[in-house]
Amino acid sequence: MTLANAVQDYARTLTLRSPDHYRVGPFTVRHNPDWELKYANYAIPDREAEPTADDVAALVDAFREHERLPRLEFLPAWAPAVEPALLAAGFTVENRAPLLACGHGDLRTPKPVDGLRITVPSTEAEFTDAARVQHQGFGGEGEPEPGMTDWLRAAATGDGVAALAVLDGAPAGAGGCSVAVDGLSELAGLAVAAPFRRRGVGAALSAWLTDRALGQGCRTVWLEPGGPDVERIYASIGYRRIGEKVNISLEPGGA
């Protein structure tokens, strides 16, 4: 199995382990009841799935019953028949995102940031600070939803990793690595607060999380960068491209 397919299998396995997931035809849906963020709610097709129009319609109905945007994230090569079926049903490709990975021996130390302190959050205030940085970093307004704080807490207290970066006495960045499955872990939810961007916080925080996950027994940490500029930051600390996934959704008013 290629590393990219191993990553896809990892994402599907972790979704199947989540308590609120559900199945619709050849799809497994990651559902977060306390977290409406679209990136936290999506479906993954079974490998080599060949969904019918009725399967896709049932999936759309299920998302809408759960008051979520019908959305999928997957490697096109994992299930080549899925994307054409979704496009025929009115779905629109959000983007084609590279998958990056970093293993033992790949990680490089970034330039230090004077005064930056990175720790695992432990108090309720620290988890809230970390979740707020993530929430606002991904375009949210107001306070974060409970699901975001729950994810960080689960990562910090389980077999994953969570981190809060503090600079100049203020929360500067946050992120985490999910629980390892077969030696793989995902670095996700990494965000830097607006006043601290372009100061090296993102690279330092990414390297810290990756090093900690690898130190806990992972063989490879993978992630999906938010854009070319972010990809360059990850590449600077040793991440490399291993494949490409499609993010695709059906906007309100679609078929």
Side-chain angles (χ1 to χ4, degrees):
M1 181 182 293
T2 66
L3 182 54
N5 278 343
V7 164
Q8 181 68 91
D9 190 54
Y10 166 93
R12 183 174 177 275
T13 298
L14 211 61
T15 296
L16 285 166
R17 291 183 181 182
S18 65
D20 296 296
H21 83 274
Y22 58 90
R23 293 274 300 169
V24 180
F27 302 102
T28 300
V29 182
R30 175 185 176 183
H31 176 65
N32 276 285
D34 298 319
W35 195 1
E36 293 185 11
L37 185 74
K38 71 177 184 178
Y39 305 111
N41 295 271
Y42 57 85
I44 300 172
D46 295 343
R47 191 169 188 181
E48 304 298 341
E50 297 182 352
T52 65
D54 288 342
D55 289 331
V56 176
L59 181 66
V60 171
D61 288 343
F63 268 100
R64 288 176 173 164
E65 288 171 6
H66 287 84
E67 300 181 332
R68 295 293 186 268
L69 175 72
R71 188 172 184 274
L72 295 90
E73 296 187 6
F74 64 98
L75 272 67
W78 172 265
V82 172
E83 185 177 343
L86 297 173
L87 293 174
F91 279 70
T92 301
V93 173
E94 296 174 356
N95 67 323
R96 299 186 186 278
L99 289 179
L100 309 182
C102 183
H104 289 283
D106 298 326
L107 185 63
R108 298 196 292 269
T109 302
K111 182 179 178 181
V113 180
D114 290 342
L116 182 67
R117 180 172 58 89
I118 302 174
T119 60
V120 177
S122 58
T123 67
E124 194 63 29
E126 288 173 338
F127 282 115
T128 299
D129 283 342
R132 188 180 293 114
V133 169
Q134 290 180 311
H135 179 64
Q136 295 175 356
F138 287 105
E141 298 179 353
E143 291 300 301
E145 296 177 84
M148 187 170 285
T149 308
D150 292 343
W151 185 86
L152 285 164
R153 188 179 294 105
T157 58
D159 293 327
V161 185
L164 172 64
V166 176
L167 183 60
D168 299 337
C177 289
S178 54
V179 59
V181 177
D182 294 331
L184 296 177
S185 177
E186 180 187 11
L187 195 163
L190 192 136
V192 176
F196 301 100
R197 291 172 187 165
R198 302 187 182 279
R199 295 175 60 178
V201 174
L205 184 56
S206 302
W208 190 95
L209 285 164
T210 303
D211 181 64
R212 195 172 181 96
L214 293 173
Q216 291 180 182
C218 291
R219 59 182 173 85
T220 302
V221 180
W222 66 275
L223 57 84
E224 174 190 337
D229 290 343
V230 179
E231 182 177 358
R232 283 190 284 271
I233 292 173
Y234 289 121
S236 73
I237 63 170
Y239 277 83
R240 69 190 189 284
R241 285 197 181 204
I242 59 168
E244 183 180 78
K245 65 193 283 281
V246 62
N247 298 321
I248 185 168
S249 58
L250 183 65
E251 293 297 331

